[in-house]
Amino acid sequence: MADYSWPEADRRGQIGRRPARLDGPVKSTGFARYPSDQNPPGLLAAKILTCPHAHARVVRIDTSAAEAIPGVRVVHVIQGEGSEIQWAGDEVAAVAADTEDIARDALRALQVEYEVLPHFVTEKHRDRAPAAQPGSERTDGDPDAAFASAHRTVEQTLGMPQMAHMCLEPHGQVAAWDGDELEVHASTQAVSTLAGQFASELGIPATQVRIRTEYMGGGFGSKFSPDRWGIVGAELAREAGAPVKLFLDRDQEVSVAGSRPSAFARVRVAADEQGKLVAWDSDSWGSGGLPGASQTPLPYVFSRLPNRRLRHTSVPTNLAGSRAWRAPNHPQACFLTMASLDDLANELDLDPIEFLDRNLEFTGRADVYREELGIAAGMAEWKERWQPRKRSRDSALQRGLGVSIHTWGGRGHASNCDVTVHPDGAVEARLGSQDIGTGTRTIVAQVLAETFGLELPQVRVSLGDNRFPQSGPSGGSSTVGGVCASTRRAAQDALREVLTRVAPRLEADPEQLTAAGGRVFVEGEPSRSMSWTEAASRIGGAPVSAQGRNPGPGRLISSGVGGVQIAEVEVDMETGVVQVKRMIAVQDCGLIVNRRLAESQVYGGLIMGVGYALFEEWIPDPVTGRLLNADMEFYKLAGLLDVGSLEVHMMTGPGYDERGVIGLGEPPVISPGAAISNAVANAIGVRVPWLPLTPDRVLDALAGRGGIA
Amino acid sequence: MNGAVRRLEVEPRVTLLDGLRDVLDTTGPKKVCDRGACGACTVLEDGQPIYACSRLLIESAGRSITTVEGLGSPEAMHEVQRAFVENDAQQCGYCTPGFVVATAALLARNPAPGEEEIEAGLGGNFCRCGTYMGIRAVVAGPGQAGGDGGGNVGG
Ligand code: FES
Ligand code: FES
C-alpha cells in the first residue's frame, strides 16, 4: 500500500510557511464576486415580509394591492391563513419585482391580519416560562459527601444571553432556472450537500441542481442549509421565469438567520486543602429560541472530576431557532466553568494559574495545558504582574489579569479531491469544498505545491462548485483536515503515476525519484534529473489524474487540541466601562499548513471573543417579543480599537507536527469570554455574573446588586 | 465613476449603493447594514469617504465617485490593497472593500495617523471575521510594530 504522509520538517517546501492568501488580490480590489454580487441578465429582486409578532395566527392575507403594482412579478404567500407563527421575523410572504424598491413597495401593500397570541422571550426567568423542559438529573460519584467534607466551596449564578452570528454577507442566494435545471449562487458553508436539500424541497432530482460559491461573506455555523428563503427564492424564479436575487435585510439577518443559545447556571464547586477540585454541582438552563437549548459540557475541560451532579432545563421561547455558533456550546460551558474555578481559586487564596495547574489531571491533555500555561504566563509576565483580587478602590482605573483554557476536536471531515497533472506541467485540484474565509483555497494549493515540488503560481485550486468531488460542509473546524488529507492522497497518487512514467528516462526505479524545487530527480543524485515541465511532457498526450479520499490510509490528520488564553483589562470604576488591553492566546492545532492563516484564525477568534465578552447580545423586548437591537448600531460588534493588543503563540514543531493537520477555526473563540470576565473580577474585586460585561452590569456588581435570578 | 462618465436615469429614491450595485454592476461596495452603521459600502465622493447606502444617487450627480475597483485591480493593486494582501487583512473579505477605501482615504489625509485619527477614519467600519490586526498593520505601514514580520508574499 502506498505510504501517505507529510514530509519531514527539513524537507517541507510549502507546509508551515506563511504565503499570503491566494484570493487576497481579488478580495482587496473588490473584484471577487460573492453570491450577493451576481447580476445575471433579467435579474429580479426579491424581498420577504416577516411577521411583526412573536406569536400569532395569520387570519387573512390580501395580496391584490401588491400584485397590482407595476413591476411586481410574483407574490408568494409562504405562511397562509391559519398558520401559527412562533417568532417575530418568521417569513409570511415574498415578492419578486423588477427592482428592490418596487419589491419593498409591494411588501408595504401586502395586507396581513393577525390574531396575536401570548409570547415568552425572556428565558432568564425560567420560572415564568410556559414550556420549560427540565431534563433528568445526572450524578457521578458522591457529590454530597464531597461537598460536605470540602475545604472551600463557591456557589453563584452566572449567565450569558443569546447573541447573533451577524455574518456580514446576509443569508441568501441568486437562483436561476434553465428549463428544469436550477443554478444557485448561494452564500453557504455546504456546497456539496446543498443540492440534495434544494432538490427534495423543489421536487426535482438532485442532478438538476448546481450550487456555486466561489466566495462567501461569513457563516460561523449559520449557513448549512438552503433555508426557507432559499426554497422560496428558487420558487419565485421558477414562477417568474427569470433569475431572482433574495438576500435578507439586516434586521432579518440578525433576528432569524443565526444565534447562539444562552446559558445560565447555578454553579457550586468545591476544593480540598491542597487546592484540588473535589465536587461540581450545576443547575443550568438556557434557550436557543423555539427549540430550547441542550446541556453544555460541564464542568468544561475538567471533565474527569469524579463527583458531580448536573441538571439542565431547556427553555423554549418565541424567538427564531439558534444555529451552530462557532464552537457550539463551548464558549458557554467555558464561561460557566472557568469563572467558577477562578472564584474558587480566589477563595483558596491561590493564583488561578497555579490552581488550574494543580487540577490538570482532570483534563484529557494535562501535558499540553501545562506547557501552554507556562508559555502564556511567560508572555503575560504573569508572575511579576498578577496580584490577588483587589479589595481597595484606590483609583478610578483598575487593571486585572484573567486566564481560561479550552478544548476542541477538529478532525477532518469526509472529503474527495481530484488532482490532475496536465502534459504542460500545470497541476489542478478540484473539490466540492468552500473557502468561507479561513483560507481553504490557499491551503489546498500549498498541499499540491508541496507534493509536486512546485511553487504556488504553478498550481490551481478549483472549489465552490458541487460538480466537483463531494467534500464536507465547513463546520466544526473539520475542513482543513478533510481537504488536506484528500488532496495529499490524490496528489501523492498522481505524482507516483508521473514518476512511474518518467522513471525509464532517468534510468531509475520510480521509488528512487523525488519531485522538489521544480525538478524530478534521483534521490541522492540531483544531477540525474529533469525539470517538472519536461517530466510532465513525457506522461503522454492525456493528463494523469487521481482521486484522493478522506478518511483514508496514512496518518495525515488527527483531533483534539487545547488552548490557553490570558486577558488583561482596565476597568473604569466610575463608568463601568471595560477595556481589553491585551489578549494572549497559546494554541495547538497539530501540523500547521500556513502559519499566517493560522494566526489570522486565532486573531479572529480573539476579536469575536472580545465582542461577545463586552458588547454582543440579543435584546428581546418582553412586551413586543421583537429584538430591540436587530441592526448594527445597537447590536455592536467590536471595532478596530476595541480589542487591545493581541499576541498569538502557536504550538508547533516536534510533539505537535507529527499529529497531522487539525482544525483551528473554533478553539480560539472559546476562552475569551471567561478570560475577560476573570480579568474584570481580578481588577474590581467582585464577579460580574453576566456576559457581556456592559457598564451597567459592572456598576451593578460593584454596588452589590444585579445578580441573575 | 472610476474615471469614466456614466449617464443613467433612476428614480430619485435609489441610493448611490443600489445604483452602483444593481444598475452599474459595480459590486465592490457591499450592502451590509444599509443604514450607515458598518462601513462596508464606503466609496470616495470627490475624494472624501462616504457611506454609499446613505446617499441618494442623484445627490452624487456631477461628482466623482471612486469605488474599491477604481483604486486598483488584481493585476495593478493600489498600495493599500497590496498592503491588505501582505498583512492578511481579510478573511471572508466581505468588509474588505469598505475598509480598503476608508484606509486609503485615511492614509491620503495623513500617512502616519494617531489613534484618534484612526478612530475617526476607521471607527465606522466593522469586520466580523476579526481582521483588525492586519488592518492595523496596514495603517502602521511597512516596518512598523504590528506588521507581519514574516513576509513571503505569494509563495
Ligand atoms: S451598508 Fe452602508 S454603512 Fe453599512
Ligand atoms: S473579513 Fe469577513 S467580515 Fe471582515
Side-chain angles (χ1 to χ4, degrees), chain A residues 632, chain B residues 17 30-42 50-54 124:
Chain A
M632 295 185 75
Chain B
L17 181 61
K30 301 293 187 248
K31 187 165 175 169
V32 169
C33 71
D34 207 22
R35 289 292 183 278
C38 78
C41 62
T42 304
I50 59 164
Y51 292 150
C53 70
S54 304

Side-chain angles (χ1 to χ4, degrees), chain A residues 336-401:
Chain A
L336 296 175
T337 303
M338 300 302 158
S340 301
L341 297 192
D342 189 70
D343 289 347
L344 185 54
N346 182 59
E347 279 299 310
L348 291 159
D349 287 324
L350 274 179
D351 173 337
I353 289 188
E354 173 61 27
F355 178 60
L356 293 178
D357 192 86
R358 285 190 197 179
N359 288 285
L360 289 176
E361 72 203 70
F362 297 124
T363 76
R365 301 173 57 77
D367 293 347
V368 171
Y369 286 125
R370 187 157 289 127
E371 189 179 358
E372 290 180 339
L373 280 167
I375 291 169
M379 289 169 74
E381 298 169 73
W382 181 279
K383 279 208 169 59
E384 301 77 46
R385 303 187 49 229
W386 179 84
Q387 292 175 356
R389 279 187 196 176
K390 297 199 182 69
R391 312 278 174 206
S392 75
R393 293 175 186 175
D394 46 354
S395 93
L397 295 177
Q398 296 287 351
R399 287 234 177 184
L401 287 167

Side-chain angles (χ1 to χ4, degrees), chain A residues 168, chain B residues 91-93 95 127-129 131:
Chain A
L168 289 205
Chain B
Q91 290 189 28
C92 81
C95 69
C127 171
R128 186 39 146 174
C129 299
T131 56

Side-chain angles (χ1 to χ4, degrees), chain A residues 285-349:
Chain A
W285 73 100
S287 184
L290 195 63
S294 56
Q295 167 86 62
T296 63
L298 295 174
Y300 187 61
V301 178
F302 296 88
S303 53
R304 298 180 180 180
L305 189 60
N307 303 308
R308 53 188 175 164
R309 179 180 293 117
L310 300 180
R311 271 160 310 216
H312 180 76
T313 302
S314 170
V315 184
T317 59
N318 293 106
L319 291 163
S322 63
R323 298 177 178 219
W325 193 97
R326 202 170 180 180
N329 276 339
H330 282 233
Q332 300 97 315
C334 186
F335 170 60
L336 296 175
T337 303
M338 300 302 158
S340 301
L341 297 192
D342 189 70
D343 289 347
L344 185 54
N346 182 59
E347 279 299 310
L348 291 159
D349 287 324

